[in-house]
Amino acid sequence: MDPAAPVSSQPLPTAQLDSATPQITATTADGAADGVAPLTKSALKKLEKEKALAAKKALKQAANAGKKPAQAAEGVKKEKKEKAKKEDAQPEESPYVEVPEGHKKDLSNPMAAGYNPTDVERDWYSWWRQHQFFVPAVPSSSPSEYSHFDPEPNFLPRDEKGEAQLDWDAIDPKKTFVIPAPPPNVTGSLHIGHALAFGLQDTLIRWHRMRGYTTLFVPGYDHAGISTQSVVEKRLAKLEGLSRHDLGREKFLERCMAWKEEYQSRITNQICRLGVSCDWDRVAFTMNPQLSKAVAETFVRLHDDGIIYRANRLVNWCVAMNTTLSNLEVDQKVITGRTLLSVPGYDPKDKVEFGVITSFAYPLEGSDEKIVIATTRPETLLGDTAIAVHPDDERYKHLHGKFAIHPFLGRRIPIITDAIAVDKEFGTGAVKMTPAHDPNDYEVGMRHKLEFINILNDDGTLNANAGPEFEGLKRFHARKKVIEEMKKKGLYVGDAENPMSIPVCAKSGDVIESVMKPQWWVSCKTLAAKAIEARPGSSRFLPPRRTKAGELKIKPAQSEGDWYRWLEGIQDWCISRQLWWGHRAPAYFVKIEGQEQQDRLSGEYWVT
């Protein structure tokens, strides 16, 4: 042991280093050896380090022990004075010199010791914009080492409105590079994904600009119809306790526009701070008059070509927002069994039960026999127009072509056979059909020409088709009442837990209802067929870049199968929404004087 180290009062084991071999011998106080173990290089280094630290500590303790308290305090004061003196001797950092808006930074001033990105990048960006470095220009025929622009850049001219007057003779189409920025939604701030996308796009723009191309990066903003309206409505309800209907259409649109201005300004500032080289004289907003006119013209042209059409079909209906939704705006909430969930429009304490399949019996016409069906949505029983069984199911062959009687409305329910919709091994093998409120039942209804009975109002209450006993009830209150009344009639069989997925609105969180509504649709199958066909040709809206003709290549090659499966299985797209914020469809229903009955579902009386 090092003589300078403190001595323990207890006889502790000691470690002795063998100088001949890298090993350590452990001995006790009486000197008896416990054993010899080989010492690794790392262990040897660690031991030497510990030994040095112990010696240093012992020396310091011995030095402090010999000093008087007053001397020790004096030593501390001396150290502090020396430290302060050293700090005072450091040169004072030069303050950042503010640069006037649009002026170039004076590089002759002393440079600050630290980099201040906020001030430096703001001032450089301001100078870039002032000198129109982001505006498309005809490049120099002999670009310099530092810039492809001439000393007096030949920027593309603009008229008094600031719109560019393109001189196509001065521009080489092969040396032109343009990116219209995918417009971010005006519903919040940019996130890291936006920063990555803008960074990649601006890299391409700047690279082409340096190569001598006429470049243009067009900034833009998306009005984001359903997203913006949803956010503004929630804010209105939370802060003022009002709905859009309380304000009226015009006042509500003013609120939406104010929101848009606030968040567009915020997003613009973020893009500028990223240093993105956009031409800010060409800012686009999807609801600007010019773009709104282009949307209307495109709608009319596509309608004239038969690509946009009107039809009464099953749609995703959000009761909370009172609008149709596309499949992309619907999330699937998966539950594994009996679950109580809060639903918008209901008291938070009034939770709705999901994940349960309930069985009922339908009485058969002219017989004491009953047929048992099961459903996860008992309220839709009020819109049933058929019961389907498998044609090969022996249990029901004697019922083919017979009728059941609706337990509440008394209407005759035909018993049909369908091998596509019915799995005879699942449940009772009998399936209730509500074509107006279920996608699978809708297909069965189309195949068998069933009656489509809509039982829901737009606000989620039941209408007159549900019968006087249920009319006016909220949909999930009607669910409870249907079960109660079926129990009273002796037609309730039972229920069981059932894993299921619930369609939920991505914006409001409301449970989506499948409802029959006349809407405007895009014939996607027509467009998909043109995208994959091998024969040459073109249309106004789709250039002849056919996949099978080899004009459009899918990379990586293994994704080509997914491309074809997606296009060949594509469904028509519902493009109409019942919103106030957004583009209005330029379509009008013509009422003819003297004609009392005009079918609004038919396209005969609609003009665009």
Side-chain angles (χ1 to χ4, degrees), residues 40-149:
T40 62
K41 286 184 179 181
S42 59
L44 184 61
K45 284 183 180 179
K46 186 177 180 182
L47 189 62
E48 289 175 346
K49 190 175 180 181
E50 289 175 353
K51 186 177 178 182
L53 286 172
K56 189 175 179 181
K57 186 177 180 182
L59 287 171
K60 190 174 181 180
Q61 287 175 346
N64 288 337
K67 284 185 179 181
K68 293 181 179 179
Q71 289 175 327
E74 188 65 31
V76 172
K77 286 181 180 179
K78 189 176 180 181
E79 283 180 12
K80 286 184 177 179
K81 280 183 180 180
E82 288 177 356
K83 188 177 179 182
K85 190 176 180 182
K86 200 177 285 185
E87 288 176 354
D88 291 340
Q90 290 181 355
E92 186 178 346
E93 183 178 332
S94 302
Y96 183 82
V97 179
E98 293 292 331
V99 180
E101 181 78 17
H103 284 65
K104 187 176 181 180
K105 183 180 178 182
D106 186 357
L107 299 178
S108 64
N109 290 320
M111 185 173 289
Y115 176 63
N116 184 337
T118 303
D119 292 330
V120 174
E121 293 173 8
R122 179 197 62 217
D123 293 339
W124 279 116
Y125 195 82
S126 169
W127 182 67
W128 290 342
R129 287 187 62 180
Q130 181 69 26
H131 285 72
Q132 297 186 310
F133 288 153
F134 305 155
V135 174
V138 178
S140 169
S141 57
S142 55
S144 71
E145 180 183 353
Y146 304 102
S147 172
H148 71 274
F149 288 123

Side-chain angles (χ1 to χ4, degrees), residues 122-344:
R122 179 197 62 217
D123 293 339
W124 279 116
Y125 195 82
S126 169
W127 182 67
W128 290 342
R129 287 187 62 180
Q130 181 69 26
H131 285 72
Q132 297 186 310
F133 288 153
F134 305 155
V135 174
V138 178
S140 169
S141 57
S142 55
S144 71
E145 180 183 353
Y146 304 102
S147 172
H148 71 274
F149 288 123
D150 288 319
E152 295 295 330
N154 184 15
F155 293 113
L156 301 182
R158 297 168 183 268
D159 57 21
E160 61 276 4
K161 295 180 181 178
E163 297 178 359
Q165 303 297 312
L166 298 182
D167 180 7
W168 291 107
D169 294 331
I171 299 173
D172 182 359
K174 293 181 180 179
K175 297 205 71 177
T176 300
F177 188 76
V178 179
I179 295 181
N185 292 347
V186 288
T187 50
S189 302
L190 300 186
H191 51 66
I192 193 66
H194 289 108
L196 173 62
F198 273 114
L200 294 174
Q201 292 160 27
D202 195 40
T203 299
L204 291 172
I205 285 287
R206 289 175 180 268
W207 180 56
H208 281 85
R209 191 181 289 131
M210 291 168 67
R211 294 173 65 205
Y213 280 62
T214 298
T215 58
L216 173 62
F217 197 179
V218 184
Y221 306 90
D222 192 338
H223 69 280
I226 192 167
S227 298
T228 302
Q229 178 161 319
S230 172
V231 169
V232 175
E233 282 196 83
K234 287 178 181 176
R235 185 186 178 103
L236 197 61
K238 184 178 180 179
L239 299 181
E240 302 179 43
L242 299 174
S243 71
R244 59 181 162 126
H245 300 286
D246 295 327
L247 286 181
R249 186 185 189 95
E250 296 306 318
K251 291 288 185 185
F252 179 75
L253 290 181
E254 287 176 10
R255 296 292 185 95
C256 289
M257 187 60 73
W259 174 275
K260 170 259 177 187
E261 293 295 340
E262 177 185 347
Y263 280 87
Q264 180 173 320
S265 174
R266 180 181 298 184
I267 292 169
T268 299
N269 181 54
Q270 288 181 295
I271 296 173
C272 291
R273 289 187 65 186
L274 287 170
V276 181
S277 57
C278 296
D279 182 356
W280 292 104
D281 294 332
R282 285 181 165 84
V283 174
F285 174 57
T286 50
M287 282 178 62
N288 282 347
Q290 188 176 2
L291 294 180
S292 294
K293 184 179 179 181
V295 170
E297 182 177 347
T298 302
F299 186 100
V300 172
R301 287 188 181 186
L302 290 173
H303 180 259
D304 290 344
D305 287 355
I307 295 174
I308 287 181
Y309 64 95
R310 187 173 174 83
N312 188 30
R313 288 187 179 177
L314 211 61
V315 297
N316 300 311
W317 183 258
C318 175
V319 172
M321 296 202 68
N322 229 237
T323 183
T324 56
L325 302 174
S326 73
N327 291 337
L328 295 176
E329 294 162 326
V330 177
D331 296 332
Q332 295 297 326
K333 185 178 183 67
V334 178
I335 57 175
T336 56
R338 198 181 299 265
T339 307
L340 293 174
L341 298 175
S342 295
V343 178

Side-chain angles (χ1 to χ4, degrees), residues 304-505:
D304 290 344
D305 287 355
I307 295 174
I308 287 181
Y309 64 95
R310 187 173 174 83
N312 188 30
R313 288 187 179 177
L314 211 61
V315 297
N316 300 311
W317 183 258
C318 175
V319 172
M321 296 202 68
N322 229 237
T323 183
T324 56
L325 302 174
S326 73
N327 291 337
L328 295 176
E329 294 162 326
V330 177
D331 296 332
Q332 295 297 326
K333 185 178 183 67
V334 178
I335 57 175
T336 56
R338 198 181 299 265
T339 307
L340 293 174
L341 298 175
S342 295
V343 178
Y346 291 77
D347 190 293
K349 296 178 182 178
D350 187 12
K351 294 186 182 294
V352 181
E353 186 177 58
F354 294 92
V356 177
I357 187 165
T358 308
S359 299
F360 301 114
Y362 266 87
L364 297 178
E365 185 180 50
S367 170
D368 293 333
E369 192 178 354
K370 295 182 178 66
I371 185 168
V372 178
I373 54 90
T375 179
T376 58
R377 300 161 67 204
E379 69 279 10
T380 62
L381 177 145
L382 301 168
D384 286 355
T385 57
I387 296 173
V389 298
H390 196 281
D392 301 330
D393 194 334
E394 296 293 336
R395 295 172 294 177
Y396 301 115
K397 281 197 170 180
H398 67 292
L399 297 179
H400 293 182
K402 300 287 181 69
F403 291 86
I405 301 299
H406 197 285
F408 298 113
L409 302 169
R411 64 170 172 261
R412 300 171 78 214
I413 307 292
I415 297 174
I416 62 173
T417 60
D418 195 295
I420 300 173
V422 181
D423 179 0
K424 61 182 179 180
E425 305 299 330
F426 181 78
T428 64
V431 183
K432 64 185 278 301
M433 290 292 143
T434 319
H437 294 288
D438 183 89
N440 295 322
D441 296 359
Y442 175 85
E443 298 297 332
V444 175
M446 295 298 289
R447 286 198 295 271
H448 295 270
K449 295 181 171 53
L450 299 177
E451 187 179 4
F452 289 75
I453 300 177
N454 179 22
I455 61 168
L456 280 176
N457 294 314
D458 290 351
D459 63 358
T461 59
L462 271 60
N463 60 28
N465 291 333
E469 195 174 354
F470 298 94
E471 184 179 3
L473 286 178
K474 286 187 171 183
R475 51 187 167 149
F476 295 121
H477 291 163
R479 175 178 294 187
K480 293 179 182 178
K481 187 172 178 64
V482 165
I483 295 173
E484 291 169 2
E485 295 301 319
M486 290 296 270
K487 286 179 178 178
K488 290 178 184 177
K489 293 177 180 288
L491 299 175
Y492 175 82
V493 177
D495 63 33
E497 290 201 30
N498 180 64
M500 61 186 295
S501 62
I502 306 168
V504 175
C505 175

